[in-house]
Amino acid sequence: MAGSKKVRHALRRDFWEMCLEAFQARGITLFQNISPGDTHWLSAGSGTRACPFELLLLKDGGAVNLRVGRDHTTENKEIYDRLYARREEIEAAFGDPLDWRRLDDKKSSRVVFRMHADGHNREAWPQIIDWMAEHIVRFENALRKPLADAARAAKASEEPG
């Protein structure tokens, strides 16, 4: 078991090194200050506290993800609900339907877009990286301002007035 964990971690690190190099070559700056790790995700700041954009390498593909993960569940759900209320606008800007996961039984919520491929097959990596590069740019462009607006509105609704 420990050996397979080491192999999986090395595989992920190799993938993220390749991915970050490809992003840098394409001028994608969102992950420019992020180092490759051995987890199945990389996170980068969205400009909104505790709401990172993430890339996910999965056994069956890849994903771009927004995690609304602040300290308080109610704040996360309010930010998520404000984003969800703008779902049509966000999806139109993104160009595809997104997977909206409120996750009522969890503290955080997510917005996800996935692709299917063999994430553990090195030969599939260029295709996965190309997909991630295209979609993280679209994802960030579609979500950054609505996310900032939602977080600002959530904060304003909490302030005594």
Side-chain angles (χ1 to χ4, degrees):
M1 190 65 150
S4 68
K5 184 176 181 182
K6 286 181 183 178
V7 169
R8 188 170 62 246
H9 287 188
L11 187 79
R12 290 175 185 155
R13 183 173 300 279
D14 290 349
F15 175 84
W16 293 126
E17 285 174 1
M18 182 185 287
C19 184
L20 292 172
E21 286 173 13
F23 277 29
Q24 184 177 7
R26 292 172 189 223
I28 298 171
T29 59
L30 183 61
F31 290 84
Q32 70 184 1
N33 296 320
I34 306 300
S35 298
D38 59 11
T39 59
H40 73 280
W41 75 92
L42 283 185
S43 297
S46 66
T48 298
R49 178 181 55 82
C51 296
F53 290 120
E54 298 174 329
L55 300 172
L56 306 175
L57 176 64
L58 308 166
K59 185 176 182 179
D60 63 348
V64 293
N65 186 66
L66 169 69
R67 181 171 45 88
V68 182
R70 294 193 168 183
D71 291 337
H72 302 287
T73 302
T74 54
E75 186 178 11
N76 292 330
K77 301 313 176 194
E78 183 171 353
I79 291 169
Y80 173 89
D81 290 344
R82 289 177 182 277
L83 286 172
Y84 189 79
R86 294 175 68 178
R87 180 181 85 253
E88 289 181 15
E89 168 196 344
I90 291 166
E91 290 179 345
F94 180 68
D96 282 295
L98 298 169
D99 182 1
W100 296 84
R101 300 179 184 178
R102 192 171 194 273
L103 305 175
D104 290 331
D105 58 334
K106 306 256 190 243
K107 183 159 71 168
S108 66
S109 293
R110 299 179 186 279
V111 181
V112 184
F113 191 69
R114 288 200 52 186
M115 62 94 67
H116 294 282
D118 183 353
H120 292 178
N121 177 356
R122 290 176 186 268
E123 291 178 15
W125 289 0
Q127 173 194 3
I128 295 169
I129 291 168
D130 285 347
W131 183 93
M132 285 180 170
E134 174 190 343
H135 290 88
I136 196 63
V137 170
R138 288 172 41 198
F139 200 70
E140 178 187 15
N141 289 340
L143 280 160
R144 185 177 288 271
K145 184 177 182 325
L147 175 61
D149 293 347
R152 206 171 16 261
K155 182 177 182 180
S157 74
E158 288 178 0
E159 294 174 357

